[in-house]
Amino acid sequence: MSGWMSYFGGRKDPKSTTREAIVTLRQQLQMLEKKEEYLLKKIDEELKKAKANAISNKPAATAALRRKKAHETELERLSGTRLTLETQVNAIESANINATTMDAMKKGADALKTIHGSLTIDRVDATMDSIREQMELTNEISEAISNPMNVGLETDEEDLKAQLAELEAEKLDEVLMGAERVPSHIPSAPELAVESRKIADRETEEERELRELQAQLAL
């Protein structure tokens, strides 16, 4: 009963109809391709017969050429039919792709509509304001936690100045005590003259060695 209802007015699934149409067309194309292969084979056979009887049996050769011509005509007709079927298959496949693409796009649009249905600009702005407030509060809390606790440690500015002056006086006393310590032995003038000559002689000797080395390198 369901088959009769479907035949007389029942609606079929569009996807199933499209699939069946493509399958049927491709089956027909395969049959046409086999028929074309058969006709090509027959054309080749009739051409060989015509060549074989071209001199010895001209009527047979003529008949073979007529059959060859008929097969070629049939082959041209089948080629045109096959081209029409291929065009139809391509059109159906393209239309099917377009339909499935539009269906997917519609589902995507419906999904976006559902997602945005509960969202408004005012709600988004309110949420962003709340986030900014919470971030500012977080920063303030972090700064408060990171700052050292100075409760009960406030020092009078005058007290600090007095302590600094005391440290400076102690440092000055240390410097003065160091200056009072005089070396036990101060070189006399003759000792200083002897030491200066030793330094001059040592420099003269070094200069002589340098000239000798330069002379050797020049050789």
Side-chain angles (χ1 to χ4, degrees):
M1 180 67 67
S2 59
W4 284 102
M5 291 296 294
S6 174
Y7 179 79
F8 282 106
R11 299 183 61 183
K12 299 182 65 176
D13 183 11
K15 293 183 178 179
S16 176
T17 302
T18 301
R19 183 168 55 252
E20 290 176 359
I22 293 175
V23 170
T24 301
L25 289 171
R26 291 199 176 281
Q27 289 176 347
Q28 189 65 20
L29 283 171
Q30 291 178 354
M31 186 188 69
L32 292 178
E33 289 175 358
K34 291 180 179 179
K35 181 66 175 179
E36 287 178 345
E37 291 177 358
Y38 171 78
L39 289 175
L40 287 172
K41 184 178 180 181
K42 296 298 292 183
I43 290 171
D44 186 63
E45 290 177 355
E46 296 300 334
L47 180 59
K48 291 180 179 179
K49 290 180 181 178
K51 288 181 178 180
N53 296 299
I55 299 176
S56 60
N57 191 349
K58 290 186 178 182
T62 302
L65 291 175
R66 288 196 182 98
R67 290 191 298 269
K68 172 179 171 295
K69 181 63 176 179
H71 292 326
E72 289 175 346
T73 302
E74 180 67 11
L75 181 62
E76 290 178 1
R77 188 183 65 82
L78 290 179
S79 297
T81 302
R82 182 165 60 85
L83 180 60
T84 301
L85 291 178
E86 289 176 348
T87 303
Q88 192 174 12
V89 170
N90 291 334
I92 293 174
E93 289 177 344
S94 179
N96 186 47
I97 292 174
N98 292 336
T100 53
T101 301
M102 288 300 299
D103 184 58
M105 293 174 67
K106 183 179 182 302
K107 290 180 179 179
D110 292 340
L112 288 174
K113 185 177 180 181
T114 301
I115 294 172
H116 292 157
S118 58
L119 294 177
T120 62
I121 297 299
D122 294 337
R123 293 187 63 182
V124 172
D125 290 340
T127 302
M128 296 304 298
D129 291 339
S130 177
I131 292 174
R132 281 190 287 269
E133 291 176 0
Q134 295 301 318
M135 292 298 296
E136 292 176 358
L137 178 60
T138 300
N139 293 333
E140 293 176 358
I141 294 173
S142 299
E143 291 178 0
I145 293 174
S146 62
N147 288 334
M149 297 180 65
N150 294 324
V151 179
L153 298 179
E154 291 82 359
T155 305
D156 190 279
E157 193 70 23
E158 296 298 328
D159 189 19
L160 290 176
K161 291 181 179 180
Q163 293 180 17
L164 179 59
E166 185 179 350
L167 293 174
E168 291 177 351
E170 291 179 359
K171 185 64 176 178
L172 182 59
D173 290 340
E174 292 177 359
V175 173
L176 292 175
M177 290 177 62
E180 291 176 356
R181 297 190 184 92
V182 180
S184 59
H185 174 70
I186 299 176
S188 62
E191 290 176 347
L192 292 174
V194 172
E195 186 66 25
S196 298
R197 284 197 300 272
K198 288 181 179 180
I199 294 173
D201 293 340
R202 185 165 57 253
E203 292 177 351
T204 303
E205 184 180 354
E206 291 177 353
E207 293 176 355
R208 186 181 67 255
E209 292 178 356
L210 178 60
R211 286 195 299 273
E212 293 176 357
L213 179 60
Q214 290 176 348
Q216 293 175 3
L217 293 175
L219 294 176

